[in-house]
Amino acid sequence: MFQNLDTKSVEEIKAYQEIELQKLVHYVYAQSPFYKKVFDEHQLTPNAIQTLEDLQQLPVTQKEDLNGKEEDFLCIPTHEIAEYFTTSGTLGDPITFMYSENDLERLAYNEATSFEGIGINNKDIIQLMTTVDKGFMAGIAYYLGARKLNAGFMRVGPGVPQMQWNMIQKIKPTTLIVVPSFIPHLVEFAEKNNIDYKNSSVKRLLCIGEPVRNQDFTLNALGAKIASLWDVELFSTYASTEMGTAFTECEAKRGGHHHPELLIVELLDENNKVVEDGKKGEVTITTLGITGMPLLRFKTGDIAIKHTEKCSCGRTTFRLSPILGRKNHQVKFKGTTLYPPKIEDTLHQIKGVENFVIEVSKNEIEMDDLHVLIGAQINTKAFISDIKEAFQSNLRVTPKISVKTPKEIQGLMFRNNSRKPVRFFDLR
């Protein structure tokens, strides 16, 4: 159904995408009330969009265009909707996405291809340590991808180290899909309960939701911490509900590979112009192969860098760097521009910090204020001084620090009945 382009030339990929793009613009003009209006307001017809470069004639689509107006993007009758998903609402209210049977097949293809890139096949067993409820797309995507590969799959869900280890010991998975900051807690439980985790069946971790690498692809503080505890392979993946596609590392671990048969990707600057390769820009996607709610030039809010140098795995597709941060999450604190991942990386280096949340707000003179709430078993002047020194050394600034119990911070991370841990709260 989908043509794998992993080893095609740049020219072949472009030719394929342009054919699919022409199909897409005619489809959305005929079926999507939102995009028909966009074309008409800009005095464009679908025939005006023939090449990838022609896309720049169209305005970008943003989250606020979708919020509460999802039906304007729907291109199929409601009786053909097979599944409903919602975004996490990290940058605002959750958005509902409606998928057709075709779109679910596309989701399965995407994840199966991503799994194959990290060495998973039908002899593997995957243990899912994230939720599949609350409208969460990722859990279903992983399940569908595993089924397409005929790999074994166990849906344990998040948290509860004892349950995770019970399943690891019983079904012997080779792969864990997990939020990486949970791994130190999993290892700590194993050590306290005399579980021989170093000789378990687990060979690899597919890390979601948090980066484990720096921009040069070396392990960051969290990744290095996990590697020092457990001799397993770490792989990163980046995706979003809006794109229905993942950028997953291959075994070379040099960035997440693009699936060009599923997405056209632009990295845009503040003026919505394409940045040069190697420069940071906002990941902006045009979905290929989606029939339910396709998107044209949708700005994800995520900042990344495109890498086009040849990958040792043999794929010719470009790769995305680890996400630097979300555009709306940029903090300007005491003259320094920060993204939450840099703050988190500093916190992962500090011994005694078990968990944390970051809050940014506006002060009385409309400047950003940064407050870091840390979960720890100790709360001494020396401990707080160590934290402040780490921030000053790594980031050249020192935010307000509060120390609470790990249980209190856990409650903050899952406030508002969140389906995944939230560590950054923008109160501006």
Side-chain angles (χ1 to χ4, degrees), residues 283-332:
V283 180
T284 303
I285 53 99
T286 294
T287 56
L288 301 177
I290 285 182
T291 58
M293 287 177 64
L295 296 172
L296 289 172
R297 304 198 81 202
F298 177 79
K299 299 185 77 175
T300 64
D302 297 319
I303 307 299
I305 295 170
K306 180 179 178 181
H307 292 272
T308 57
E309 62 273 17
K310 188 175 180 180
C311 184
S312 62
C313 74
R315 292 172 178 83
T316 54
T317 52
F318 77 77
R319 287 153 289 119
L320 276 188
S321 70
I323 300 300
L324 284 88
R326 289 187 180 271
K327 181 181 177 183
N328 286 13
H329 285 178
Q330 186 184 78
V331 180
K332 292 187 176 179

Side-chain angles (χ1 to χ4, degrees), residues 127 164-165 167-176 186-187 190 195-205 230-232:
Q127 183 161 317
Q164 303 292 352
W165 280 116
M167 287 298 101
I168 291 171
Q169 292 174 312
K170 186 171 185 177
I171 68 171
K172 296 180 172 49
T174 56
T175 306
L176 305 182
L186 198 66
V187 170
I195 296 171
D196 187 12
Y197 66 93
K198 291 185 178 180
N199 291 304
S200 75
S201 59
V202 178
K203 297 191 298 185
R204 65 177 76 84
L205 308 179
W230 202 357
D231 184 22
V232 291

Side-chain angles (χ1 to χ4, degrees), residues 162-407:
Q162 182 172 345
M163 184 184 297
Q164 303 292 352
W165 280 116
N166 286 346
M167 287 298 101
I168 291 171
Q169 292 174 312
K170 186 171 185 177
I171 68 171
K172 296 180 172 49
T174 56
T175 306
L176 305 182
I177 300 177
V178 61
V179 175
S181 57
F182 179 65
I183 293 299
H185 301 290
L186 198 66
V187 170
E188 181 182 18
F189 182 91
E191 290 175 338
K192 286 182 178 178
N193 291 274
N194 298 315
I195 296 171
D196 187 12
Y197 66 93
K198 291 185 178 180
N199 291 304
S200 75
S201 59
V202 178
K203 297 191 298 185
R204 65 177 76 84
L205 308 179
L206 183 58
C207 300
I208 71 168
E210 298 170 333
V212 293
R213 299 195 196 285
N214 298 307
Q215 289 300 310
D216 63 358
F217 305 117
T218 58
L219 290 173
N220 64 14
L222 176 58
K225 183 176 183 179
I226 294 169
S228 71
L229 295 170
W230 202 357
D231 184 22
V232 291
E233 287 200 273
L234 303 182
F235 295 96
S236 291
T237 186
Y238 156 67
S240 72
T241 304
E242 294 90 346
M243 66 176 70
T245 314
F247 291 81
T248 304
E249 289 181 332
C250 66
E251 292 179 294
K253 302 169 188 171
R254 303 284 298 177
H257 275 278
H258 174 217
H259 296 314
E261 62 271 36
L262 303 181
L263 282 182
I264 295 169
V265 181
E266 303 168 272
L267 265 61
L268 302 183
D269 63 16
E270 294 287 340
N271 299 311
N272 295 329
K273 301 298 183 184
V274 176
V275 303
E276 296 177 19
D277 292 348
K279 302 291 186 182
K280 66 180 182 181
E282 184 172 357
V283 180
T284 303
I285 53 99
T286 294
T287 56
L288 301 177
I290 285 182
T291 58
M293 287 177 64
L295 296 172
L296 289 172
R297 304 198 81 202
F298 177 79
K299 299 185 77 175
T300 64
D302 297 319
I303 307 299
I305 295 170
K306 180 179 178 181
H307 292 272
T308 57
E309 62 273 17
K310 188 175 180 180
C311 184
S312 62
C313 74
R315 292 172 178 83
T316 54
T317 52
F318 77 77
R319 287 153 289 119
L320 276 188
S321 70
I323 300 300
L324 284 88
R326 289 187 180 271
K327 181 181 177 183
N328 286 13
H329 285 178
Q330 186 184 78
V331 180
K332 292 187 176 179
F333 183 64
K334 297 182 179 178
T336 299
T337 299
L338 304 171
Y339 285 106
K342 288 296 291 181
I343 302 170
E344 293 172 8
D345 196 50
T346 295
L347 290 164
H348 285 305
Q349 297 176 40
I350 303 169
K351 188 174 181 180
V353 173
E354 295 191 23
N355 51 14
F356 54 84
V357 295
I358 302 160
E359 293 181 349
V360 61
S361 58
K362 289 286 188 184
N363 59 24
E364 64 277 3
I365 58 172
E366 291 298 302
M367 300 295 286
D368 289 350
D369 258 353
L370 192 59
H371 184 194
V372 179
L373 296 90
I374 289 167
Q377 303 291 350
I378 52 177
N379 187 3
T380 63
K381 288 183 179 179
F383 179 59
I384 294 173
S385 177
D386 287 345
I387 296 169
K388 290 181 177 179
E389 284 182 16
F391 272 102
Q392 192 61 43
S393 174
N394 288 359
L395 304 177
R396 309 294 186 201
V397 293
T398 306
K400 178 183 176 183
I401 305 292
S402 296
V403 178
K404 298 181 178 292
T405 67
K407 186 176 181 180

Side-chain angles (χ1 to χ4, degrees), residues 56-126:
Q56 295 176 48
Q57 297 180 59
L58 290 169
V60 296
T61 303
Q62 307 202 64
K63 290 181 188 287
E64 48 264 37
D65 295 319
L66 279 156
N67 203 344
K69 296 169 282 190
E70 292 95 331
E71 290 188 1
D72 289 343
F73 288 80
L74 184 63
C75 293
I76 56 174
T78 54
H79 69 268
E80 291 183 13
I81 299 170
E83 187 90 34
Y84 293 82
F85 298 108
T86 63
T87 63
S88 61
T90 306
L91 295 182
D93 294 331
I95 296 166
T96 301
F97 273 81
M98 294 160 271
Y99 264 43
S100 66
E101 285 290 348
N102 167 84
D103 301 341
L104 292 177
E105 176 60 30
R106 177 184 179 278
L107 199 60
Y109 167 83
N110 157 75
E111 209 56 62
T113 305
S114 298
F115 283 162
E116 286 178 320
I118 64 172
I120 295 176
N121 58 40
N122 62 1
K123 295 182 175 63
D124 285 285
I125 299 171
I126 300 167

